[in-house]
Amino acid sequence: MDTTNLKNIPTNQLVEELGDRDGVEKIVIPPYEISKIKAEGPAIVLVVTD
């Protein structure tokens, strides 16, 4: 297991990495758009099924 401290990695880099993985659906909600999941953008929603 990698012993990298995740607290030292910026959140935007963590989101990008997770969004590229199998078992993760990345939904981007533009500013001021309301989606089916009841979120108003700007937002990024990660659905993790893994």
Side-chain angles (χ1 to χ4, degrees), residues 10-44:
T11 302
N12 64 321
Q13 288 180 358
L14 292 171
V15 170
E16 285 300 318
E17 175 62 32
L18 287 171
D20 291 338
R21 293 186 178 206
D22 291 337
V24 177
E25 178 185 3
K26 181 178 176 181
I27 303 167
V28 178
I29 303 169
Y32 308 108
E33 183 176 314
I34 298 174
S35 74
K36 291 186 264 183
I37 56 172
K38 296 183 182 179
E40 184 175 335
I44 296 174

